[in-house]
């Protein structure tokens, strides 16, 4: 497989300067991110399939099952959809792990990462470019979800600043899950194995305050659901959007905004160095 990656020429003296290293790492990160984005543009069926996930999620959970979940929560369907949309925003961010893991596994098998490592590129940029592409795609997905939610009657009630803060938390969550996907993609034996590991995302996504509040879950399930990183982000975004939310009865619920920042930062702090270490060991 032929891989074309345009890496700008750089003098050795410039690379040795600390400021220049940061500059070139930024440039290299964008080069790698652009490669992933162009790959999606050149394969519109894959792009369409990716963007259909949030559309189907709104349709299925908001309308097909929405009335039933609303009855369980003792609220009308319209109010349940206001409760639901922030949960679907976070679910969409979580489900992106699958595409990231499969894409990285394909690059490992196809020798793309080995080719990148042989070029005068920043080692961090080889993986950070994938994470940046995921974040850009996440912004597109959130834009679609916001438009759909508005079309179906959902709205934010606390102003533009709160909306921007909520979207920032969702993008931060996607960045964290992107590094989880990158690490898994480097560890699995190939794209086929990556698809099987993607099944593990569903318990993570559903055992959280996403579709129904944790106080409706059995006691043994409520505790892990409360400490699920998705729950913190969902509760925090509901607060920032001014949407209906279950009363905060746990420590995590009372500190959701703080935990919605700490969880992704902790995940990135663990997965990023592990992914870099694994990248250095590839081919050995």
């Amino acid at each position: 497989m032929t891989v074309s990656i345009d890496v700008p020429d750089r003098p050795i003296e410039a690379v040795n300067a600390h400021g220049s290293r940061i500059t070139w790492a930024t440039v290299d990160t964008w080069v790698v991110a652009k490669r992933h984005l162009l790959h999606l543009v050149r394969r519109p069926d894959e792009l369409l399939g990716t963007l259909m996930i949030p559309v189907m999620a709104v349709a299925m959970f908001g309308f097909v099952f929405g009335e039933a979940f609303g009855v369980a929560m003792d609220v009308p369907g319209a109010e349940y959809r206001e409760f639901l949309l922030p949960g679907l925003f976070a679910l969409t961010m979580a489900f992106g792990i699958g595409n990231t893991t499969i894409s990285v596994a394909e690059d490992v098998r196809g020798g793309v990462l080995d080719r990148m490592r042989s070029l005068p590129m920043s080692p961090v940029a080889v993986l950070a470019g994938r994470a940046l592409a995921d974040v850009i795609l996440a912004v597109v997905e959130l834009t679609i979800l916001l438009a759909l939610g508005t079309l179906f009657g959902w709205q934010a009630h606390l102003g533009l600043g709160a909306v921007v803060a909520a979207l920032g938390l969702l993008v931060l969550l996607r960045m964290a899950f992107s590094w989880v996907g990158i690490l898994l993609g480097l560890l699995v034996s190939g794209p086929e194995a990556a698809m099987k590991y993607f099944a593990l995302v569903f318990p993570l996504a559903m055992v959280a305050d996403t579709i129904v509040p944790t106080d409706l879950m059995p006691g043994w399930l409520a505790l892990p659901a409360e400490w699920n990183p998705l729950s913190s982000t969902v509760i925090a975004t509901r607060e920032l959007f001014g949407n209906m939310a279950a009363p905060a009865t746990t420590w995590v619920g009372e500190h959701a905004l703080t935990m919605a920042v700490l969880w992704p930062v902790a995940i990135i702090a663990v997965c990023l160095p592990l992914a870099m270490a694994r990248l250095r060991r590839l081919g050995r």
Side-chain angles (χ1 to χ4, degrees):
M1 180 172 66
T2 302
V3 179
S4 177
I5 304 173
D6 299 323
V7 179
D9 295 331
R10 62 203 65 176
I12 298 299
E13 298 82 6
V15 174
N16 290 332
H18 179 68
S20 296
R21 285 201 299 270
I22 295 176
T23 300
W24 285 117
T26 302
V27 172
D28 290 344
T29 297
W30 172 243
V31 168
V32 177
K34 186 168 67 172
R35 168 189 173 264
H36 290 295
L37 295 173
L38 289 175
H39 175 79
L40 285 174
V41 172
R42 291 167 181 167
R43 298 179 63 178
D45 56 334
E46 184 175 333
L47 177 61
L48 180 62
T50 299
L51 298 180
M52 280 297 293
I53 292 176
V55 177
M56 294 298 293
V58 172
M60 290 292 292
F61 290 106
F63 292 93
V64 178
F65 304 123
E67 295 296 333
F69 286 128
V71 169
M73 293 174 58
D74 196 26
V75 297
E79 290 187 24
Y80 172 73
R81 282 190 287 275
E82 183 167 288
F83 170 89
L84 172 70
L85 260 296
L88 291 184
F89 296 161
L91 281 179
T92 303
M93 300 299 98
F95 288 154
I97 290 180
N99 286 337
T100 303
T101 306
I102 293 169
S103 175
V104 173
E106 288 176 343
D107 283 349
V108 172
R109 174 176 290 182
V112 176
L113 291 187
D114 287 336
R115 172 60 175 156
M116 288 184 183
R117 293 166 65 205
S118 71
L119 296 172
M121 297 180 66
S122 165
V124 175
V126 173
L127 301 182
R130 172 73 239 189
L132 177 58
D134 287 343
V135 166
I136 293 172
L137 185 58
V139 172
V140 175
E141 292 172 340
L142 286 172
T143 301
I144 293 173
L145 278 173
L146 286 171
L148 283 173
T150 303
L151 181 63
F152 295 146
W154 172 87
Q155 60 179 318
H157 302 285
L158 299 183
L160 181 60
V163 170
V164 171
L167 295 178
L169 290 178
L170 289 164
V171 171
L172 179 62
L173 182 71
R174 179 66 184 97
M175 185 182 298
F177 283 142
S178 177
W179 281 104
V180 174
I182 290 169
L183 177 60
L184 288 175
L186 293 171
L187 291 173
V188 298
S189 58
E192 299 82 7
M195 293 178 186
K196 296 176 182 178
Y197 278 101
F198 178 57
L200 299 177
V201 176
F202 285 92
L204 170 71
M206 297 305 175
V207 183
D209 202 320
T210 48
I211 307 301
V212 295
T214 54
D215 58 9
L216 292 182
M217 298 179 183
W220 63 271
L221 198 58
L223 183 61
E226 291 164 4
W227 285 91
N228 189 326
L230 266 75
S231 293
S232 298
T233 299
V234 172
I235 295 170
T237 52
R238 284 192 184 117
E239 293 177 1
L240 290 168
F241 287 134
N243 294 154
M244 188 196 86
T249 58
T250 64
W251 186 91
V252 177
E254 293 172 354
H255 301 83
L257 280 170
T258 301
M259 295 302 295
V261 175
L262 291 181
W263 268 122
V265 170
I267 292 170
I268 294 171
V270 171
C271 291
L272 192 157
L274 288 176
M276 292 303 304
R278 176 60 180 171
L279 179 67
R280 288 192 292 269
R281 291 197 298 269
L282 285 180
R284 294 184 181 179

